[in-house]
């Protein structure tokens, strides 16, 4: 039993690690989509950022410079999306898809041109990465305080700074969206842009601000993948995480706190999937980890179909705003 | 999408070409930045795609894939549905072929197995398209999100089956056993060689003919049948079409079935034409390329044939880049594809104001002469 609890604790711990890029991606999605811009390019932005973070961290030896460069590139990708969808009123899904495909190709091409390692970056030394931060007294508490001490050591201590940033981003997103004028306007621009326009606020400017914030958050998610959990960039390293973040955002009904729980749940599913591979269970028998990994997608489809409560996306989502003259 | 006031030939020819050139121009700049000569790269691609021995066959082989997935996206576009699920639908199509070929191969005569396998691919693809269609029509879930999710679900199912129930015994890679002897489509080079022509080996097979037949069928469906008229009416305005007495829900569901079926038939080319067994990830992104093809081809079968040929040449030529350059790989083609989707899809109307100034200004001067 004790062993089970310890395993469970480790599964929770790895859920948080898996969920971190999902949380950052989901918050990015919330900013963008709440302003009325569909963002399926979370995946591509994360991928570009992951590459740039690793490349710059390798070149300069500083993970911080890598992170800054990654965020800048991710913002540029957001601006391309904005240029197409806000300025030229292009189809937002097509634009997002273009960025994703572009990211798949570009990261590998530039990777080969710079490092000649088949699209990977060289392995980063420890000094060029964001390493885990052991909280004070972790070992002491684990040895001396029953249960809580172990929880403190295994679950709370030992995460890198980006995990904390991701968790903080949920609170910040909530605060900005629901407690500030900017947030009110941002939500309004995704529901009824003409109302904002008649109040003399620029719809385009609001939407650009929203997608720039989304760019920053996706940038951080990419940084996490290649310079915190990973030690370098690998071809297609996001592997659909941007899409799972999108699913989590929908699952959380475009709200930061429920989206956080969706991310943690999806992260937990993945952590469990890694552990049950090949294991036999009473009654149900062997659980396929492949099918378990598909569960986030299935759940999102079921939710969207309205079988578990209703979902209503921002009303003006996907529609380019045409200013009346 | 906004209405254009430009003459038809500008809309159909000039704009797609201009968008394509812009995409290639940007790709050229990127090639130059990484230190290679874009013109050398272009000439190697063209030679690889059309001139080198067997190149044309490979180009047309890829073209076949893109015709299927391009048609799938285009049919859905006519009803204003965005089917990004081609990848998953094609994977399921491959599963359909595999189940028929492995289940009935050796029991029924070979031609009947092949025919049933082709039908199986269409049905399995259609099922994978019709569920998102139903969910959009009856439950209001957004088709874009559902089809994205269905791609991932299909991929998980394929991994689960090919590494489990359907996995060939005594080997490591996730794939089925080979189909029974003869359960495959003839290669075009075999047919032509038997007729006395000398043609280089290539994977090009009879699926190419099937793809062209599908183009014709889609043209008839969309522009020459009452149902096609309803599809376009639904795409134009769901409300108007409901007012006209149609049931838009059913049109959405049927269109997604057709779209999914077409995407599923891509597997005929890869699985029945070349692999003769079901392998993992045989769709390799062709479903997504279908979106670029449909955008470039303006959702018209003739346009789709040309756009597929373009992408077929890019893929085959891109393979040639792998041999010739150390720094350029096939990923260059993926990047070009992304640029084409960006410029001919998302930024499709970027040049409209500019072109309107040119073409409509001329027209303005001519009109007094005519009148």
């Amino acid at each position: 039993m004790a062993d089970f609890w310890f395993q469970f604790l480790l599964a929770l711990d790895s859920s948080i690690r898996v969920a971190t890029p999902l949380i950052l991606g989901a918050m990015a999605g919330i900013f963008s989509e709440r302003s009325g811009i569909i963002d399926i390019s979370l995946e591509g932005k994360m991928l570009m950022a992951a590459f740039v973070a690793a490349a710059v961290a390798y070149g300069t030896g500083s993970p911080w410079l890598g992170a800054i460069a990654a965020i800048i590139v991710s913002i540029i990708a957001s601006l391309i999306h904005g240029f197409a969808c806000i300025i030229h009123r292009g189809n937002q899904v097509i634009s997002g898809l273009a960025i994703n495909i572009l990211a798949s190709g570009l990261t590998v091409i530039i990777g080969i041109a710079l490092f000649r390692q088949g699209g990977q970056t060289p392995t980063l030394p420890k000094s060029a990465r964001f390493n885990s931060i052991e909280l004070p007294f972790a070992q002491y508490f684990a040895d001396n305080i029953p249960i809580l001490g172990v929880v403190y050591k295994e679950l709370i201590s030992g995460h890198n700074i980006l995990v904390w940033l991701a968790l903080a981003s949920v609170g910040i997103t909530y605060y900005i969206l629901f407690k500030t004028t900017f947030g009110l306007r941002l939500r309004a621009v995704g529901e009824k842009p003409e109302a904002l326009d008649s109040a003399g606020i620029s719809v385009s400017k609001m939407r650009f601000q929203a997608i720039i914030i989304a760019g920053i958050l996706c940038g951080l998610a990419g940084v996490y993948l290649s310079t915190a959990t990973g030690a370098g960039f690998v071809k297609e390293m996001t592997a659909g995480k941007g899409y799972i973040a999108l699913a989590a955002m929908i699952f959380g009904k475009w709200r930061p706190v429920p989206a956080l729980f969706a991310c943690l749940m999806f992260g937990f599913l993945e952590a469990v999937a890694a552990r049950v591979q090949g294991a036999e269970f009473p009654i149900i028998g062997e659980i396929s980890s492949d099918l378990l990994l598909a569960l986030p997608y299935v759940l999102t489809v079921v939710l969207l179909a309205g079988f578990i409560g209703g979902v209503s996306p921002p009303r003006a989502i996907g529609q380019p705003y045409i200013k009346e003259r | 999408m906004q209405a254009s006031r430009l003459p038809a030939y500008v809309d159909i020819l000039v704009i797609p070409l201009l968008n394509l050139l812009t995409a290639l121009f940007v790709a050229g700049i990127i090639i130059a930045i990484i230190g290679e000569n874009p013109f050398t790269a272009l000439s190697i691609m063209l030679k690889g795609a059309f001139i080198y021995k067997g190149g044309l066959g490979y180009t047309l082989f890829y073209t076949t894939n893109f015709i299927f997935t391009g048609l799938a996206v285009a049919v859905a576009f006519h009803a204003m549905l965005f089917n990004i699920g081609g990848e998953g639908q094609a994977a399921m199509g491959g599963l359909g072929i595999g189940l028929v070929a492995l289940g009935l191969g050796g029991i029924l005569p070979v031609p009947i197995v092949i025919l049933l396998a082709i039908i199986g691919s269409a049905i399995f693809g259609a099922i994978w398209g019709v569920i998102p269609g139903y969910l959009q029509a009856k439950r209001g879930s957004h088709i874009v999100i559902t089809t994205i999710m269905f791609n991932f679900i299909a991929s998980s199912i394929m991994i689960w089956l090919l590494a489990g129930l359907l996995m060939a015994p005594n080997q490591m890679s996730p794939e089925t056993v080979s189909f029974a002897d003869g359960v495959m489509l003839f290669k075009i080079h075999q047919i032509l060689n038997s007729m006395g022509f000398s043609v280089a080996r290539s994977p090009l097979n009879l699926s190419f003919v099937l793809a062209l037949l599908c183009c014709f069928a889609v043209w008839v469906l969309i522009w020459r049948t009452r149902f096609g008229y309803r599809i376009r009416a639904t795409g134009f305005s769901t409300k108007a079409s409901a007012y006209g007495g149609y049931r838009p829900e059913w049109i959405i569901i049927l269109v997604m079935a057709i779209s999914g079926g077409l995407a599923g038939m891509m597997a005929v080319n890869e699985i029945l034409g070349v692999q003769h067994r079901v392998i993992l990830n045989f769709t390799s992104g062709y479903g997504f390329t279908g979106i670029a093809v449909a955008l470039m081809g303006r959702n018209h079968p003739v346009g789709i044939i040309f756009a597929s040929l373009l992408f077929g040449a890019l893929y085959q030529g891109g393979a040639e880049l792998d041999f010739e350059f150390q720094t350029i790989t096939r990923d260059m083609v993926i990047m070009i594809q992304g640029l084409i989707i960006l410029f001919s899809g998302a930024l499709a109307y970027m040049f409209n104001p500019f072109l309107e100034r040119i073409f409509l200004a001329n027209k303005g001067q001519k009109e007094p002469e005519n009148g």
Side-chain angles (χ1 to χ4, degrees):
Chain A
M1 199 61 192
D3 182 54
F4 173 79
W5 280 113
F6 191 64
Q7 285 297 325
F8 182 70
L9 206 59
L10 289 184
L12 278 186
D13 182 57
S14 60
S15 317
I16 294 178
R17 287 169 210 272
V18 176
T20 297
L22 306 182
I23 296 168
L24 289 164
M27 296 307 131
I30 288 175
F31 272 106
S32 180
E33 303 220 335
R34 280 280 186 158
S35 82
I37 305 287
I38 298 176
D39 200 355
I40 64 167
S41 63
L42 299 174
E43 174 87 3
K45 281 183 277 204
M46 277 187 201
L47 191 65
M48 287 189 200
F51 171 74
V52 173
V56 173
Y58 178 77
T60 62
S62 158
W64 293 99
L65 288 179
I68 291 168
I71 289 170
I72 291 172
V73 167
S74 177
I75 290 176
I76 291 173
S78 269
L79 291 178
I80 295 175
H81 191 46
F83 177 73
C85 314
I86 302 173
I87 296 182
H88 286 284
R89 299 183 206 127
N91 184 312
Q92 299 171 1
V93 174
I94 296 177
S95 166
L97 201 68
I99 289 171
N100 288 346
I101 295 177
L102 205 55
S104 299
L106 262 182
T107 49
V108 178
I109 293 167
I110 299 176
I112 291 174
L114 288 178
F115 305 109
R116 318 252 158 162
Q117 291 190 5
Q120 300 188 3
T121 58
T123 309
L124 295 174
K126 206 159 184 272
S127 60
R129 293 173 55 198
F130 291 99
N131 299 303
S132 47
I133 305 163
E134 292 298 329
L135 295 181
F137 309 117
Q139 193 57 47
Y140 176 78
F141 283 172
D143 293 340
N144 293 293
I145 304 175
I147 305 173
L148 281 181
V150 181
V151 170
Y152 179 75
K153 175 172 181 277
E154 298 297 340
L155 191 59
I156 299 175
S157 172
H159 293 297
N160 58 62
I161 189 165
L162 285 150
V163 175
W164 297 112
L165 260 179
L167 291 172
S169 78
V170 179
I172 296 170
T173 305
Y174 178 83
Y175 180 80
I176 292 178
L177 274 185
F178 298 104
K179 303 288 173 201
T180 65
T181 319
F182 174 74
L184 178 70
R185 288 176 179 171
L186 192 128
R187 284 181 289 136
V189 86
E191 298 282 340
K192 236 181 175 353
E194 60 277 10
L196 230 69
D197 196 17
S198 61
I201 297 157
S202 162
V203 172
S204 303
K205 196 177 156 197
M206 282 306 300
R207 288 185 169 170
F208 263 111
Q209 284 168 338
I211 60 169
I212 287 171
I213 298 173
I216 296 170
L217 290 163
C218 282
L220 288 171
V223 169
Y224 176 79
L225 289 174
S226 68
T227 60
T229 43
F233 176 83
V234 187
K235 187 175 174 175
E236 296 293 336
M237 85 180 303
T238 44
K241 289 193 173 61
Y243 290 113
I244 299 196
L246 196 71
M249 175 202 74
I250 295 166
F251 213 82
K253 304 183 182 180
W254 287 267
R255 291 171 168 276
V257 178
L260 165 72
F261 285 109
C263 292
L264 289 173
M265 181 178 76
F266 291 173
F268 184 68
L269 282 172
E270 203 176 317
V272 169
R275 272 150 220 273
V276 298
Q277 180 75 318
E280 290 279 338
F281 287 86
I283 308 166
I284 38 178
E286 195 176 330
I287 298 177
S288 159
S289 61
D290 301 318
L291 293 187
L292 215 52
L293 286 176
L295 217 50
Y297 307 115
V298 177
L299 286 172
T300 305
V301 169
V302 172
L303 177 92
L304 262 181
F307 294 116
I308 13 178
V311 184
S312 50
R315 258 205 310 161
I317 199 163
Q319 301 157 5
Y321 182 67
I322 300 165
K323 203 174 162 68
E324 280 178 55
R325 287 174 203 280
Chain B
M1 306 273 163
Q2 58 204 72
S4 171
R5 293 181 290 139
L6 291 165
Y9 73 94
V10 177
D11 215 26
I12 295 168
L13 272 179
V14 178
I15 290 181
L17 280 179
L18 207 54
N19 291 332
L20 176 67
L21 285 178
T22 316
L24 291 179
F25 179 70
V26 175
I29 291 176
I30 293 169
I31 294 177
I33 288 174
I34 64 171
E36 301 289 353
N37 183 339
F39 296 101
T40 321
L42 185 66
S43 91
I44 287 171
M45 281 180 99
L46 286 175
K47 279 183 203 154
F50 297 108
I51 294 170
Y52 291 157
K53 202 166 171 240
L56 183 62
Y58 272 93
T59 296
L60 291 176
F61 168 73
Y62 292 122
T63 303
T64 310
N65 285 338
F66 301 140
I67 291 178
F68 283 120
T69 54
L71 284 177
V73 176
V75 167
F77 259 144
H78 279 289
M80 278 297 167
L81 295 168
F82 199 170
N83 176 15
I84 357 191
E87 201 68 7
Q89 289 144 13
M92 292 315 259
L95 182 63
I97 293 177
L99 292 181
V100 171
L102 295 171
L104 301 175
I107 300 172
L108 294 176
V110 166
I112 295 179
V113 175
I114 292 177
L115 190 67
L116 289 177
I118 294 174
I119 295 171
S121 74
I123 290 179
F124 270 63
I127 291 173
W128 220 241
V130 94
I131 303 172
Y134 169 83
L135 293 174
Q136 158 100 26
K138 299 278 188 184
R139 314 281 321 185
S141 30
H142 201 302
I143 201 130
V144 168
I145 304 291
T146 328
T147 48
I148 290 176
M149 299 300 141
F150 265 59
N151 283 340
F152 285 105
I153 298 171
S155 153
S156 296
I157 291 177
M158 293 300 278
I159 296 172
W160 175 59
L161 286 176
L162 291 180
L165 291 174
L166 294 179
M167 188 165 159
N170 304 325
Q171 52 126 19
M172 293 307 288
S173 51
E175 55 189 44
T176 66
V177 292
S178 292
F179 298 159
D181 280 345
V183 181
M184 59 169 81
L185 291 175
F186 285 115
K187 300 276 196 304
I188 301 283
H189 71 88
Q190 290 170 331
I191 298 171
L192 289 179
N193 284 343
S194 72
M195 286 161 68
F197 299 98
S198 166
V199 179
R201 278 180 72 92
S202 77
L204 181 65
N205 59 74
L206 282 179
S207 313
F208 182 61
V209 181
L210 182 67
L212 293 179
L213 287 175
C214 285
C215 283
F216 182 69
V218 165
W219 178 76
V220 171
L221 174 83
I222 301 285
W223 280 280
R224 286 292 178 270
T225 65
R226 187 170 291 186
F227 180 63
Y229 176 74
R230 288 178 188 180
I231 293 175
R232 286 180 291 141
T234 309
F236 198 68
S237 160
T238 323
K239 268 190 197 145
S241 117
Y243 193 71
Y246 309 143
R247 302 267 302 278
E249 297 96 6
W250 277 103
I251 289 172
I252 289 172
I253 291 171
L254 287 172
V255 163
M256 280 305 290
I258 296 168
S259 175
L262 285 165
M265 281 160 80
M266 191 214 94
V268 174
N269 191 36
E270 287 283 336
I271 300 295
L272 266 188
V274 179
Q275 300 291 345
H276 313 137
R277 67 208 144 103
V278 188
I279 59 168
L280 209 55
N281 299 333
F282 70 88
T283 50
S284 20
Y286 301 137
F288 291 119
T289 312
I291 297 162
V293 167
L295 288 169
M296 281 241 45
R298 294 274 150 144
N299 301 322
H300 191 285
V302 176
I304 285 169
I305 293 175
F306 282 110
S308 300
L309 191 63
L310 170 77
F311 276 97
L314 276 176
Y315 265 71
Q316 171 52 21
E320 208 62 43
L321 289 178
D322 267 347
F323 297 119
E324 298 282 337
F325 289 100
Q326 288 209 307
T327 47
I328 305 182
T329 59
R330 258 186 137 162
D331 300 285
M332 181 60 74
V333 178
I334 296 179
M335 184 202 75
I336 294 176
Q337 189 181 319
L339 289 171
I340 289 179
I341 295 179
L342 185 68
F343 287 107
S344 60
L347 289 168
Y349 300 104
M350 187 167 64
F351 293 116
N352 269 30
F354 168 70
L355 289 171
E356 272 172 12
R357 220 175 302 145
I358 295 178
F359 286 97
L360 298 181
N362 276 346
K363 211 174 158 192
Q365 285 166 356
K366 275 178 195 159
E367 258 165 4
E369 292 173 18
N370 295 339

